[in-house]
Amino acid sequence: MVFSRRSILVACARTATVVMACCNLGAGPFPSTAINYVVELFTSQGCAYCPRADQWLAAIARAPDVVAVSFPVDYWDYIGWRDTLASPSFTARQKAYAAAHGEANVYTPQVIVNGLAGAAGGDPAEIEQAIKTAKGADGALTVPMRLSETGGHFLVEVAGGSGGPAGVFALRVARASTIQILRGENAGRSVTYTNVVRAIDKLGDWTGETATFDMPGGARDGEGFVVLVQKGTPERPGAILAAAKTEGL
């Protein structure tokens, strides 16, 4: 089954203990670890092929060098079960990737790596190839970034470099959500979804110059945060230049 495109945006705000992203800008209270790749999984409770991909994401998500998030989409709601985690904004993000990649349709499960390469979410070999294809392409994960805590909120520091302009986004993420699905293609199954995006907040724009961004707010129980520096626009997202995640994601 196929669909076409839209835009994104949701709202959020953040605080927690941070594990770091791309490169270290200098001394600071948080350890730094290199993020090798960013995976976005577009999934649905109404998709019979998705639980295998959800399990795959759960298996890789806690690796310190991986940022992995789930975006539940809503376009299968009509076939018998309304996805309880889905948002039209997440569907719009997937359609925006399709537009940016010259694809007419979207599907589940689908993986997008570093904002650049797509793969079928249930095909490990195809995902591995997408990871190789997206590694360093168009500046992916090459921009140094640091997060530090100041006065109860986090400060995002992005170093100067090439690849801008880009948006700086904070994602509020539920570490795990277990759903008992009563109807539709997965009727009778209990499925656990990992690192489920609940909201996206744009902190500002990075132009290629050194810049700082405030990330105020309080952490909720069972949630963490991801920060992405991404080229393009909501309608045509591009390469993810830097990424960070909080502990436990």
Side-chain angles (χ1 to χ4, degrees):
M1 305 177 197
V2 293
F3 290 77
S4 310
R5 39 211 88 161
R6 254 160 135 201
S7 326
I8 79 166
L9 220 78
V10 194
C12 104
R14 313 332 16 147
T15 204
T17 308
V18 168
V19 160
M20 221 357 290
C22 190
C23 308
N24 192 11
L25 290 179
F30 304 106
S32 176
T33 189
I35 298 298
N36 286 329
Y37 57 91
V38 176
V39 170
E40 300 173 56
L41 173 64
F42 293 92
T43 184
S44 171
Q45 295 168 20
C47 163
Y49 298 101
C50 287
R52 180 182 175 189
D54 299 320
Q55 292 172 355
W56 171 84
L57 188 87
I60 68 160
R62 304 306 181 222
D65 62 345
V66 173
V67 168
V69 293
S70 301
F71 281 100
V73 296
D74 65 353
Y75 49 78
W76 298 133
D77 286 1
Y78 76 95
I79 61 176
W81 177 255
R82 185 179 180 85
D83 193 304
T84 59
L85 299 172
S87 166
S89 297
F90 303 159
T91 299
R93 182 170 177 84
Q94 187 184 21
K95 291 179 177 181
Y97 274 128
H101 300 167
E103 299 167 356
N105 306 312
V106 294
Y107 62 90
T108 56
Q110 185 187 28
V111 161
I112 301 292
V113 180
N114 294 352
L116 296 172
D123 188 334
E126 192 172 329
I127 294 170
E128 186 62 33
Q129 183 56 51
I131 291 170
K132 291 178 181 177
T133 298
K135 187 175 179 60
D138 199 19
L141 299 177
T142 61
V143 174
M145 181 167 71
R146 182 166 63 125
L147 276 64
S148 57
E149 188 177 9
T150 306
H153 66 271
F154 284 104
L155 190 67
V156 179
E157 300 172 86
V158 186
S162 60
V168 182
F169 300 93
L171 283 61
R172 178 165 57 86
V173 176
R175 294 185 181 94
S177 296
T178 299
I179 305 296
Q180 185 68 41
I181 301 171
L182 303 180
R183 295 183 298 280
E185 292 186 354
N186 290 314
R189 301 188 68 166
S190 178
V191 181
T192 297
Y193 299 91
T194 302
N195 290 358
V196 184
V197 177
R198 307 315 303 136
I200 304 174
D201 181 47
K202 186 173 183 181
L203 302 180
D205 292 301
W206 177 72
T207 62
E209 302 294 326
T210 300
T212 60
F213 305 89
D214 288 325
M215 194 170 71
R220 304 182 186 184
D221 288 344
E223 292 187 344
F225 304 102
V226 164
V227 176
L228 303 176
V229 178
Q230 186 167 25
K231 294 175 67 173
T233 66
E235 293 76 20
R236 286 183 177 264
I240 294 171
L241 304 179
K245 64 179 181 177
T246 58
E247 286 185 359
L249 294 185

